[in-house]
């Protein structure tokens, strides 16, 4: 059988790395498009260059530069394109509103327009987000109203509709995966879950005394990024291009995430967390996200394997290990802080 080829934008990010691993395990040839940066930013995918020498590579490109997209697509001739590249931080999008709006929306248009011109058979995946639902009450599902609360959320609504437009007007196989928050040991350090698990070992070692955070009453539906890569692939394989909510269906507050992670090493987070409204409170918030993933479960037979407690443990265990600690050693250090 012909080996499938996938082009992934945002390959250097959390999801890019898990999706690459999944596709390579399925015998795909994978090319990642990445932007130039002044220092190397391939730590999440470095292990793949060696292990999959003949099937994995990256190419410099820019999603604002149509000619670079055109050139990569014409040369590589992908069967599938996964568009994961985006300014993905909601908090930062308030500070870089115009570039987030422009980049996240137009990048999607640029790829789809290139697909339309070069090869309409290429299947396309757009990384849409639960952030699009904004203040719509949970459970949020495919037909729930979009009421975004941030430049990021608005940019993703723009990209979502751009994807639908190319599907409807030009019959492209263009899909939206509306993914709720998904985390992992590879999550960026400035997202709330990883910020917590990354800093607990530093608190234990006495390197920091207090951690500044924002609103702790917010609720999120957190899944594991590895499980979500599987959903992304299934969405693209399905015979009909469509829009899909991917979520665990359970949600927890930031306080509950803190309870669980600090609890795993025997600490009470209230001694170590302080609220810094100026730095971390967002001008407008998305208070309560909980997805209804019935459609993806029923039709694509996808379901999350990793639940909340295992996710907390997995992330904390990995950050402890990076500091040369296991849970027993962490508990011993914790007893000295009580
Ligand atoms: P991530 O770790 O922040 O990775 C984002 C990727 O996009 C990185 O490869 C990054 O490159 C690239 N990128 C960012 N800004 C860019 C720009 N201006 N120009 C070119 N490339 C840029 O995000 P992720 O968690 O893997 O998420 C993947 C996609 O899913 C994103 O589109 C995100 O918005 C969306 N999403 C994520 C979640 C979630 O919970 N993780 C949920 C729903 C949707 P650098 O390495 O060079 O920065
Ligand atoms: O914030 C609150 C913060 O930055 C979660 C992205 O992957 O998921 C992600 O967006 C909540 C927010 O993720 C801190 O105000 C409190 O309410 O981890 P986050 P996010 O904004 O939900 C969606 C689905 C995406 O699509 C995005 O790409 O936690 N919060 N204190 C804090 N958040 C951060 N970052 N840091 C704090 O100190």
């Amino acid at each position: 059988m012909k080996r499938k080829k996938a082009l992934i934008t945002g390959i250097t990010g959390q999801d890019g790395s898990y999706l690459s691993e999944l596709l390579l395990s399925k015998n795909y040839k994978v090319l990642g498009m990445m932007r130039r940066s002044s220092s190397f930013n391939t730590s999440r995918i470095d292990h793949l260059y060696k292990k999959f020498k003949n099937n994995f590579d990256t190419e410099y490109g820019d999603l604002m530069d149509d000619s670079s997209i055109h050139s990569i697509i014409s040369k590589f001739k992908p069967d599938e394109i996964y568009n994961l590249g985006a300014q993905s931080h909601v908090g930062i999008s308030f500070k870089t509103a115009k570039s987030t709006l422009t980049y996240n929306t137009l990048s999607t248009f640029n790829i789809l327009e290139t697909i339309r011109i070069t090869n309409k058979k290429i299947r396309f995946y757009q990384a849409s987000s639960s952030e699009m639902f904004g203040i719509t009450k949970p459970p949020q599902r495919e037909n729930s109203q979009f009421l975004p609360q941030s430049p990021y959320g608005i940019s993703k609504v723009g990209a979502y509709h751009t994807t639908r437009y190319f599907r409807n007007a030009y019959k492209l196989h263009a899909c939206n995966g509306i993914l709720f928050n998904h985390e992992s040991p590879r999550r960026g350090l400035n997202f709330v879950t990883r910020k917590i698990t990354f800093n607990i070992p530093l608190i234990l070692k006495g390197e920091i005394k207090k951690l500044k955070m924002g609103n702790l009453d917010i609720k999120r539906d957190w899944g594991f990024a590895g499980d979500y890569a599987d959903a992304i692939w299934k969405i693209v394989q399905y015979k009909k291009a469509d829009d899909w909510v991917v979520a665990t269906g359970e949600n927890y507050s930031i306080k509950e995430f803190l309870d669980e992670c600090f609890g795993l090493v025997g600490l009470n987070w209230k001694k170590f967390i302080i609220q810094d409204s100026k730095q971390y409170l967002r001008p407008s918030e998305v208070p309560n996200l909980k997805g209804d993933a019935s459609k993806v479960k029923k039709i694509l037979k996808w379901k999350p394997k990793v639940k909340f407690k295992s996710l907390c443990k997995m992330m904390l265990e990995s950050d402890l290990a990076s500091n040369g600690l296991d849970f027993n050693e962490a508990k011993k250090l914790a007893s000295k802080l009580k």
Side-chain angles (χ1 to χ4, degrees), residues 12-15 35 41 84 86 88 103 152 156 179 182 187:
T12 54
Q14 171 188 259
D15 292 5
R35 59 177 170 174
N41 62 347
L84 312 181
S88 72
Y103 184 81
Y152 171 82
K156 287 286 180 178
L179 271 51
H182 44 282
R187 186 60 145 150

Side-chain angles (χ1 to χ4, degrees), residues 9-16 33-37 41 44 61-63 83-89 103-104 126-131 152 156 177-183 186-188 191:
T9 74
I11 189 105
T12 54
Q14 171 188 259
D15 292 5
M33 185 201 259
M34 65 179 206
R35 59 177 170 174
R36 186 262 167 189
S37 70
N41 62 347
R44 293 184 178 105
D62 186 327
L63 291 171
N83 183 30
L84 312 181
Q87 193 302 87
S88 72
H89 199 284
Y103 184 81
N104 289 1
Q126 171 58 23
S128 289
S129 165
S130 53
E131 193 66 17
Y152 171 82
K156 287 286 180 178
I178 308 173
L179 271 51
F180 282 61
N181 299 51
H182 44 282
E183 320 292 313
R186 299 181 198 167
R187 186 60 145 150
F191 294 96

Side-chain angles (χ1 to χ4, degrees), residues 88 129 152 181 187 190 192 195 214 218 220 254 282 285:
S88 72
S129 165
Y152 171 82
N181 299 51
R187 186 60 145 150
N190 56 0
V192 75
K195 177 172 170 176
I218 299 292
R220 287 288 182 271
I254 317 287
R282 298 176 180 177
E285 258 294 0

